[in-house]
Amino acid sequence: MMFTAALLHAQTMSVASFALDEADLTANLQGTTVLDQNGGKCALIRIQTTQKGFTFDVGSLGVQKVDDSKVGEVWLYVPAGVKRMDIRHPQLGTLSGYAFPVNITAGRTYVMQLVAGNVHTIVEQDDGKTYFSMTVTPVNAVVMVDDVLQTLDANGSLVMRMNRGEHKYSVQAQGYTADRGTFTLGMQKVSKNITLQSVMAQLTLSCATPGASLYVNDVLKASGSWTGALTAGDYLLEARKEGYYSQKQSVTLTEREQKSVKLPELFARTGMLDVNYKPVDCDVYIDNVKVGSSPDVFKNVLVGTHKVQLRKEGYSAKTETVTITEGKTTSLVGSLEKAAQGGQTSQSNDGKVYDVVEQMPSYPGGMGTLMQFLNTTIKYPALAEESGKQGRVLCTFIVECDGSITDLKVTKSVDPSLDKEACRVISAMPRWNPGKQGGKAVRVRYTLPITFRLK
């Protein structure tokens, strides 16, 4: 440690202290190394003084360089082995034959405190340490300095105050090329910006069947298509969709590889639906889509549960729920009842779809009951939740004269999985109170927003 010297008024110079600075490597650093006449490294004497205009003499070996551009110091480069020095100044006089108290060795740094009359020399306390800082990308990298684990802040930065000298570091992160090296701390602070190079592979995955859910190693990634970064290795890709056989494919990804994989079209798992409803030629709808009329056998119906609606003018529509089993025929037999005639319970026979009527359709129990139904029935799709998808899906449908729902459509989409869930929930609703015009039940097109909001 070095401390502040006192203010002196004598006109003769003197040396307050002279010592080897073990931690200072300036004489060995590129840019601050000076060679003597024989090609050897000079020693550096840092003379601490606020005065300029000195001349120095170390005998026949000769002074190699004097640098008085430093603030509060004069840097003197001398050959190794010098024993004595004369110091002269035009105002402060001469200090003759100063004998160095230690051996002067090549490539080493020494500190001399020089005081003289009217010279105010201040030497601040020096703990032999310098600041080192590092900024790293990515911010989750593992950083070691001198084999000690360091902690980065949220911006990927690290600040340390370290002993002067040579140090080593390593920066590593999964999916990136590691960076290892050394740095040397002298009197000046050192900063390093390190950006690791990614070795991640890029995979684009899709399926020939629209709306298929895509999986990587049995983890759901997206619906329809997905692009993402993966580490090098082996992966099992899969496309799934309800009512279809899945398709699987194995791939091997190498570092920095870009690969696109389109899985083949999925094969439908189907059964048949035999509808024999009276009266003859009543219309048959499966999941709100008209497929034909009764009687008939409908082939290639996807396995699973479906809503089947039967309608004919002059009859009350009827909705049935059926379950289709692969390779088998499910039968649906029954009759429609004739619609009531006259009074407020009668229905229009013109088949017209109204947008606005005197008495609009309503959910049984009112809007409060509808909101309660939506809150308890909606199941937030996992895929949309993982990807942060939310918003309002706008759906339109026709409320038939008997209160059933047909012609369900999405008119404002947010995300395929949210659209599908909105349609599922509306299809699960009980019959509405039909709209009325002139006292008769009529078909009315209704718009209903379904809001999905992440908590």
Side-chain angles (χ1 to χ4, degrees), residues 256-327:
R256 300 187 178 91
E257 181 181 10
Q258 293 187 350
K259 184 185 287 288
S260 293
V261 177
K262 186 173 185 178
L263 295 173
E265 186 173 359
L266 305 182
F267 292 104
R269 299 171 56 209
T270 63
M272 294 186 291
L273 177 62
D274 183 354
V275 179
N276 185 6
Y277 245 78
K278 295 180 180 180
V280 173
D281 291 332
C282 63
D283 294 331
V284 179
Y285 290 77
I286 299 179
D287 296 331
N288 299 317
V289 177
K290 184 177 179 180
V291 294
S293 60
S294 175
D296 205 348
V297 176
F298 302 97
K299 301 177 181 179
N300 299 321
V301 181
L302 292 178
V303 299
T305 301
H306 300 273
K307 281 194 173 183
V308 179
Q309 189 178 66
L310 301 114
R311 299 205 310 254
K312 189 174 178 67
E313 187 176 340
Y315 292 82
S316 297
K318 189 171 184 179
T319 301
E320 301 271 15
T321 300
V322 298
T323 299
I324 302 299
T325 304
E326 186 176 8

Side-chain angles (χ1 to χ4, degrees), residues 41 48 69 75 84 109 113 116 129 131 143 157 172 233 244 266 304 318 326 342 369 392 407 453:
K41 291 182 180 179
Q48 298 181 334
S69 64
W75 285 17
R84 297 175 180 274
T109 300
Q113 295 183 46
K129 295 184 177 182
Y131 275 110
V143 177
S157 297
Q172 303 177 71
Y244 293 80
L266 305 182
K318 189 171 184 179
E326 186 176 8
T369 306
R392 189 173 68 168
D407 197 27
R453 183 174 292 109

Side-chain angles (χ1 to χ4, degrees), residues 125-342:
Q125 182 178 353
D126 187 350
D127 61 0
K129 295 184 177 182
T130 301
Y131 275 110
F132 169 71
S133 63
M134 176 184 287
T135 301
V136 176
T137 303
V139 298
N140 63 343
V142 176
V143 177
M144 305 282 287
V145 177
D146 292 337
D147 297 323
V148 177
L149 179 65
Q150 305 297 326
T151 301
L152 299 175
D153 64 18
N155 298 316
S157 297
L158 166 70
V159 178
M160 306 174 67
R161 186 165 170 81
M162 307 176 66
N163 290 329
R164 300 187 187 107
E166 188 171 280
H167 302 271
K168 61 182 180 179
Y169 71 90
S170 69
V171 182
Q172 303 177 71
Q174 186 177 12
Y176 294 83
T177 300
D179 188 334
R180 297 179 177 86
T182 61
F183 60 91
T184 301
L185 285 179
M187 298 298 295
Q188 303 298 321
K189 66 181 180 181
V190 173
S191 297
K192 294 187 74 68
N193 292 314
I194 297 177
T195 300
L196 300 184
Q197 299 302 310
S198 174
V199 296
M200 299 285 278
Q202 192 84 0
L203 175 66
T204 297
L205 179 61
S206 61
C207 180
T209 299
S213 298
L214 304 175
Y215 292 78
V216 177
N217 285 354
D218 210 33
V219 176
L220 178 62
K221 292 297 184 181
S223 176
S225 65
W226 175 79
T227 298
L230 297 170
T231 56
D234 298 326
Y235 293 90
L236 178 63
L237 312 180
E238 185 178 6
R240 304 175 190 171
K241 189 174 184 179
E242 186 177 359
Y244 293 80
Y245 291 103
S246 65
Q247 287 279 10
K248 296 181 181 180
Q249 182 176 329
S250 296
V251 297
T252 299
L253 300 177
T254 59
E255 291 184 352
R256 300 187 178 91
E257 181 181 10
Q258 293 187 350
K259 184 185 287 288
S260 293
V261 177
K262 186 173 185 178
L263 295 173
E265 186 173 359
L266 305 182
F267 292 104
R269 299 171 56 209
T270 63
M272 294 186 291
L273 177 62
D274 183 354
V275 179
N276 185 6
Y277 245 78
K278 295 180 180 180
V280 173
D281 291 332
C282 63
D283 294 331
V284 179
Y285 290 77
I286 299 179
D287 296 331
N288 299 317
V289 177
K290 184 177 179 180
V291 294
S293 60
S294 175
D296 205 348
V297 176
F298 302 97
K299 301 177 181 179
N300 299 321
V301 181
L302 292 178
V303 299
T305 301
H306 300 273
K307 281 194 173 183
V308 179
Q309 189 178 66
L310 301 114
R311 299 205 310 254
K312 189 174 178 67
E313 187 176 340
Y315 292 82
S316 297
K318 189 171 184 179
T319 301
E320 301 271 15
T321 300
V322 298
T323 299
I324 302 299
T325 304
E326 186 176 8
K328 296 184 179 181
T329 301
T330 300
S331 297
L332 194 59
V333 179
S335 300
L336 297 181
E337 296 180 0
K338 284 193 174 185
Q341 299 296 320

Side-chain angles (χ1 to χ4, degrees), residues 21-145:
D21 190 344
E22 295 282 356
D24 193 335
L25 303 176
T26 306
N28 267 307
L29 297 178
Q30 184 177 2
T32 54
T33 297
V34 175
L35 304 180
D36 62 20
Q37 296 176 352
N38 298 317
K41 291 182 180 179
C42 288
L44 168 62
I45 303 175
R46 292 169 42 214
I47 302 173
Q48 298 181 334
T49 177
T50 59
Q51 300 297 309
K52 306 294 183 182
F54 293 95
T55 58
F56 304 91
D57 185 1
V58 294
S60 60
L61 294 178
V63 173
Q64 297 300 306
K65 181 179 178 180
V66 177
D67 183 0
D68 63 357
S69 64
K70 311 298 180 183
V71 178
E73 288 187 348
V74 177
W75 285 17
L76 181 67
Y77 287 87
V78 299
V82 296
K83 303 295 185 182
R84 297 175 180 274
M85 178 170 65
D86 294 337
I87 306 174
R88 297 181 176 83
H89 191 276
Q91 284 80 40
L92 301 178
T94 301
L95 175 62
S96 299
Y98 174 75
F100 296 114
V102 296
N103 293 328
I104 304 302
T105 304
R108 305 306 295 273
T109 300
Y110 302 80
V111 179
M112 170 188 280
Q113 295 183 46
L114 181 64
V115 295
N118 299 323
V119 176
H120 185 190
T121 302
I122 298 177
V123 182
E124 296 181 351
Q125 182 178 353
D126 187 350
D127 61 0
K129 295 184 177 182
T130 301
Y131 275 110
F132 169 71
S133 63
M134 176 184 287
T135 301
V136 176
T137 303
V139 298
N140 63 343
V142 176
V143 177
M144 305 282 287
V145 177

